[in-house]
């Protein structure tokens, strides 16, 4: 009864100009379960590799008119190139170092007794295991990238739906504002509408951005200020808002807090800074402080407020500002000894 054929553990290409040695290597590797093909020189080896299906290349150093170091870069440049084990009879360690630098995964010294064939088999075993691990890692990383992309698409869609829902709530608040007659109730609904719009603006930007974790703070504030100015003008309060914001990418949760603070402070300035029929502007700025610090400032030239004493109105705006400042691990500071109101909030970007 004939012996069963050895298990096919992989296909090896052995490149060597010595046909006798090639056959010895072929038998030794076949005994380990490999299918072995032979190539007499580098050109023949490259031609075979171009057909595909080779799992590992064993490349000899000395060949007529060239060395393995001449062929190795061309092998590594192939699409989906197989790992290369370098075989050399030279005792000059610089050859092995050069081969490793050129992309070989291992090297084997030839010897007169033929022990290198056993060492070559072990080197090929290791090369195949390493290649399998590398491919598994690439597949896992690709799966993670695809999962992340799917999650970002889903999150972007969630932001889109949240923005639409908040816009609907703001529209309902606007309708309710028009329906009520009480001035205090009307003002409260207008302020609530502004707060909702500030948060909705963040979600609109996240929906249209490639980055779902951060927003361009300067662009977001520009849009927010424009909406605030239009809303206040419609309510009969017409003051220009000047924005000077550094170009900053800010995490979503922090941007929400900043947007709500700006909304509250600008709304307060519209309501209390200037007496009726007195013109004046409101200035909003965001400046960098050091490498990671940011400073938000909202100021006007009106009657002035230092943050001390009983706040005008219900005090809800002040409580909201303190809550948002706490989210930013900061506190709002009012300037003293100047005309008008200047409120500053410093935080880490």
């Amino acid at each position: 009864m004939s012996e069963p054929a050895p298990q096919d553990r992989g296909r090896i290409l052995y490149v060597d100009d010595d046909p006798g040695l090639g056959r010895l290597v072929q038998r030794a590797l076949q005994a380990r379960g490999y299918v072995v093909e032979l190539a007499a020189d580098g050109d023949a080896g490259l031609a075979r590799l171009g057909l595909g299906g080779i799992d590992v290349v064993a490349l000899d150093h000395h060949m007529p008119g060239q060395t393995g170091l001449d062929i190795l870069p061309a092998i590594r440049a192939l699409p989906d190139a197989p790992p290369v084990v370098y075989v050399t009879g030279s005792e000059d360690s610089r050859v092995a170092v050069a081969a490793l630098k050129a992309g070989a995964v291992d090297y084997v010294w030839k010897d007169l007794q033929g022990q290198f064939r056993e060492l070559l088999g072990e080197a090929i075993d290791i090369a195949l295991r390493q290649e399998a691990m590398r491919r598994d890692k690439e597949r896992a990383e690709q799966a993670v990238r695809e999962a992340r992309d799917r999650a970002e698409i889903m999150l972007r869609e969630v932001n889109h739906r949240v923005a639409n829902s908040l816009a609907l709530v703001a529209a309902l608040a606007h309708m309710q504002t028009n329906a009520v007659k009480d001035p205090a109730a009307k003002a409260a609904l207008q302020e609530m509408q502004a707060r909702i719009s500030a948060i909705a603006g963040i979600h609109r930007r996240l929906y249209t951005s490639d980055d779902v974790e951060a927003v361009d703070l300067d662009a977001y504030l520009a849009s927010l200020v424009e909406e605030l100015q239009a809303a206040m003008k419609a309510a009969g309060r017409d003051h220009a808002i000047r924005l000077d914001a550094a170009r900053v990418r800010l995490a979503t949760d922090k941007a929400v807090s900043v947007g709500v603070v700006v909304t509250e402070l600008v709304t307060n300035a519209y309501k209390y800074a200037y007496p009726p029929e007195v013109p004046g502007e409101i200035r909003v700025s965001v400046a960098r402080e050091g490498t990671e610090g940011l400073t938000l400032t909202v100021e006007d030239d009106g009657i002035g407020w230092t943050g001390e004493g009983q706040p005008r109105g219900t005090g809800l705006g002040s409580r909201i500002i303190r809550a948002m400042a706490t989210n930013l691990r900061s506190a709002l500071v009012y300037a003293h000894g100047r005309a008008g109101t200047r409120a500053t909030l410093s935080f880490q970007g």
Side-chain angles (χ1 to χ4, degrees):
M1 180 181 295
S2 60
E3 294 184 0
Q7 182 182 2
D8 183 359
R9 299 176 57 196
R11 188 171 293 270
I12 313 301
L13 178 64
Y14 182 65
V15 184
D16 195 325
D17 65 314
D18 186 337
L21 184 57
R23 286 190 292 273
L24 291 174
V25 169
Q26 188 176 45
R27 284 198 293 269
L29 295 180
Q30 284 176 340
R32 301 177 75 97
Y34 292 113
V35 175
V36 182
E37 298 185 26
L38 303 177
D41 55 41
D43 291 338
L46 288 172
R48 174 61 189 87
L49 287 171
L51 300 176
I54 298 299
D55 298 304
V56 178
V57 177
L59 178 63
D60 188 38
H61 177 63
H62 288 292
M63 286 179 285
Q66 60 186 183
T67 69
L69 294 176
D70 299 320
I71 305 302
L72 185 52
I75 295 176
R76 299 305 304 156
L78 293 172
D80 201 21
V84 176
V85 176
Y86 205 74
V87 179
T88 176
S90 172
E91 296 183 357
D92 188 347
S93 61
R94 289 175 297 182
V95 172
V97 171
L100 294 174
K101 287 184 176 180
V105 298
D106 203 349
Y107 63 90
V108 176
W109 301 107
K110 283 184 180 179
D111 63 332
L112 296 177
Q113 293 77 27
Q115 293 178 352
F116 92 94
R117 295 194 292 274
E118 183 66 23
L119 296 176
L120 178 59
E122 294 177 1
I124 289 173
D125 291 346
I126 294 172
L128 282 171
R129 287 197 296 270
Q130 290 176 339
E131 182 67 7
M133 292 174 61
R134 184 188 69 81
R135 292 179 183 274
D136 288 344
K137 180 183 177 184
E138 287 183 351
R139 284 192 291 268
E141 290 175 346
Q142 179 63 26
V144 169
R145 286 192 295 269
E146 291 175 354
R148 182 196 61 200
D149 291 344
R150 288 194 298 270
E152 288 183 352
I153 291 172
M154 292 176 63
L155 184 54
R156 199 170 289 117
E157 179 62 24
V158 167
N159 283 314
H160 178 52
R161 293 176 182 270
V162 170
N164 286 346
S165 297
L166 289 173
L168 177 59
V169 174
L172 293 173
H174 178 70
M175 293 173 63
Q176 188 68 46
T177 302
N178 294 334
V180 300
K181 302 301 182 183
D182 181 77
K186 187 181 290 288
L189 286 169
Q190 287 171 341
E191 292 174 14
M192 181 58 65
Q193 183 182 346
R195 291 162 185 151
I196 294 170
S197 296
I199 300 172
I202 289 288
H203 289 280
R204 283 198 301 271
R205 295 206 163 269
L206 290 174
Y207 171 64
T208 57
S209 171
D210 291 333
D211 184 355
V212 295
E213 297 180 354
V215 296
D216 293 320
L217 184 62
D218 52 325
Y220 163 60
L221 289 180
S223 176
L224 177 61
V225 162
E226 184 178 351
E227 291 180 6
L228 285 171
Q229 189 160 358
M232 294 303 169
K233 187 173 183 179
R237 307 185 187 106
D238 191 8
H239 296 290
I241 306 178
R242 311 297 181 194
L243 175 65
D244 180 15
R247 298 190 64 180
V248 175
R249 294 285 293 172
L250 192 63
T252 305
D253 56 342
K254 291 185 177 181
V256 168
S257 297
V258 171
V260 172
V261 169
V262 169
T263 299
E264 296 300 321
L265 291 175
V266 169
T267 301
N268 285 342
Y270 266 111
K271 290 167 60 178
Y272 307 123
Y274 300 101
E277 309 303 327
V278 175
E281 68 178 17
I282 302 165
R283 295 179 294 279
V284 179
S285 68
V286 177
R288 293 185 181 275
E289 294 291 337
T291 57
E292 297 183 359
L294 294 171
T295 297
L296 167 69
T297 302
V298 179
E299 59 183 339
D300 60 64
D301 302 314
I303 61 176
W305 167 253
T306 61
E308 299 174 350
Q310 185 68 25
R312 299 176 66 177
T314 64
L316 176 60
S318 297
R319 294 197 298 273
I320 291 175
I321 290 173
R322 285 196 296 271
M324 296 300 102
T326 299
N327 291 343
L328 294 169
R329 298 183 179 180
S330 182
L332 194 68
V333 177
Y334 286 90
H336 291 71
R338 66 181 301 278
T341 301
R342 179 183 177 130
T344 302
L345 185 68
S346 298
F347 59 96
Q348 293 296 304

